[in-house]
Amino acid sequence: MSLPEQDPRAKTPPVAWSVALRGAVRGKAVAQTTTAALIVGSTLFMVNLYSQVREAPFTWALTARVALTFLVPWFNATMGIVIGLRKSDASPHRRPGPADRATLQESAPPSP
């Protein structure tokens, strides 16, 4: 007796927040979020804080502002990945490729 085929369009519940967060802070996702934070943070730093760092005394408040300039874009990028991983059809280990899309298109009913 064979198992019934599962409909690829069937809704499954979203992934738990903790599982999605673990997937977002490992491997390739960390490299992507760090790269985004460095690019965006550097741009924000140059626009908003560069003159203060050059001319003003380096205080703890300025240190905190510089740190937040890089941490906020990293957190934003990480949460974007977490929210994407929570979708029912997303996987933290594999992204759908062209072959997956072709399979889904072939199994879809014809449109009228």
Side-chain angles (χ1 to χ4, degrees):
M1 185 167 166
S2 67
L3 295 173
E5 283 205 32
Q6 187 176 4
D7 183 10
R9 295 164 295 173
K11 284 272 191 183
T12 57
V15 175
W17 282 103
S18 60
V19 174
L21 185 58
R22 277 191 298 252
V25 294
R26 291 189 177 151
K28 189 175 181 181
V30 172
Q32 291 173 338
T33 57
T34 302
T35 302
L38 287 173
I39 292 169
V40 174
S42 297
T43 304
L44 290 172
F45 173 80
M46 294 302 286
V47 169
N48 297 325
L49 298 173
Y50 180 71
S51 63
Q52 290 179 10
V53 170
R54 261 187 77 189
E55 298 167 5
F58 206 76
T59 62
W60 285 106
L62 186 56
T63 304
R65 289 180 66 193
V66 170
L68 285 173
T69 300
F70 291 92
L71 287 175
V72 169
W74 180 83
F75 183 73
N76 189 3
T78 301
M79 288 309 295
I81 291 176
V82 168
I83 291 169
L85 289 175
R86 284 203 73 224
K87 290 181 180 178
S88 60
D89 58 346
S91 167
H93 305 292
R94 182 176 166 276
R95 294 177 66 177
D100 296 324
R101 290 186 202 105
T103 303
L104 287 175
Q105 289 173 352
E106 289 170 5
S107 64
S111 58

